[in-house]
Amino acid sequence: MKWEGLFDRITRLRSKRVLSYGICKLVVRPFHGKSIRSDSGQWLHAGDWIGELHLDNGQVLELSRSLGPDRAALKTARLLKQSLRQIHEAMDQVPELAEVKALTGITLLHRGLTHGLGFEQHQLKAGWFRLLTTIYLRFLLRMLHPAGQKRVKHSAPKLVPQMLLMTRQAFMERYRRESPLYNVV
């Protein structure tokens, strides 16, 4: 968790603002990288403002220790859904969020954790960023999951980071209370 604290300080330096919503930290910062076209046809370009989602790994570790890995994964998914609802409520109230064009995140858990949350998956381009991200996220998995060492060793080819993306429009539609998708997880 000391490494996590250092990462948190670096994140705060490279962002406009860091906000906490339940189990999530939302880092408001400009997007860097090649333009991405969403499934709805909207584009995200370098310099556009994004809300970068980060799970609070301290909370995830505590859940994993107290509930076990399987129940912790289910609880994390529920808490993430609650956090997304809180972010939705804040989108029109917090001035820094008014500029956010999309929510993004990078994760190894794209197969299970994002089911039902509405995010699109985009592959990271091969290169240094993907390599370093893969190493970092596999290291985190080893530390946070009780069987992390074994899981990384046996599932390494499947543990490739993906960028998750949900445009502001898609997010606002999905997480409004009246939406039929509001209660889906």
Side-chain angles (χ1 to χ4, degrees):
M1 292 316 298
K2 287 181 182 180
W3 171 255
E4 190 69 16
L6 175 63
F7 184 77
D8 192 43
R9 283 192 285 277
I10 292 169
T11 298
R12 289 182 189 280
L13 290 174
R14 66 181 184 93
S15 66
K16 182 176 188 177
R17 185 151 181 211
V18 177
L19 304 159
S20 292
Y21 297 98
I23 200 165
C24 284
K25 296 175 193 168
L26 185 66
V27 178
V28 180
R29 67 172 192 84
F31 176 69
H32 301 290
K34 293 197 175 215
S35 296
I36 298 174
R37 185 177 187 261
S38 72
D39 291 346
S40 66
Q42 295 177 323
W43 285 90
L44 185 63
H45 301 287
D48 288 342
W49 288 97
I50 59 169
E52 188 178 80
L53 291 167
H54 295 267
L55 285 177
D56 181 331
N57 290 318
Q59 289 186 48
V60 174
L61 180 60
E62 184 57 39
L63 287 172
S64 185
R65 287 180 179 165
S66 65
L67 300 175
D70 294 334
R71 288 184 56 211
L74 291 172
K75 180 73 173 177
T76 300
R78 282 190 209 110
L79 291 172
L80 178 56
K81 179 81 172 204
Q82 290 174 3
S83 296
L84 292 170
R85 289 177 181 147
Q86 292 171 10
I87 293 167
H88 178 271
E89 291 175 13
M91 284 297 250
D92 293 326
Q93 299 171 4
V94 177
E96 290 87 353
L97 297 180
E99 302 175 62
V100 169
K101 287 186 70 174
L103 296 181
T104 66
I106 296 178
T107 183
L108 293 175
L109 306 175
H110 44 85
R111 290 184 317 279
L113 189 59
T114 60
H115 176 72
L117 296 176
F119 286 92
E120 304 171 14
Q121 294 180 24
H122 295 268
Q123 290 192 4
L124 296 178
K125 184 180 174 193
W128 286 105
F129 179 75
R130 187 171 99 181
L131 176 65
L132 293 174
T133 300
T134 302
I135 291 168
Y136 171 70
L137 291 176
R138 286 180 183 176
F139 172 75
L140 270 181
L141 182 60
R142 281 187 177 114
M143 297 300 117
L144 297 177
H145 194 284
Q149 180 77 19
K150 183 178 174 184
R151 190 171 178 190
V152 169
K153 184 177 181 181
H154 295 299
S155 301
K158 296 178 187 174
L159 295 174
V160 177
Q162 295 278 323
M163 178 186 198
L164 305 179
L165 173 73
M166 190 177 337
T167 64
R168 180 187 188 91
Q169 180 181 350
F171 176 71
M172 297 305 281
E173 289 173 10
R174 182 176 193 91
Y175 287 93
R176 72 178 195 278
R177 288 192 187 275
E178 302 81 29
S179 172
L181 299 172
Y182 182 78
N183 290 312
V184 175
V185 167

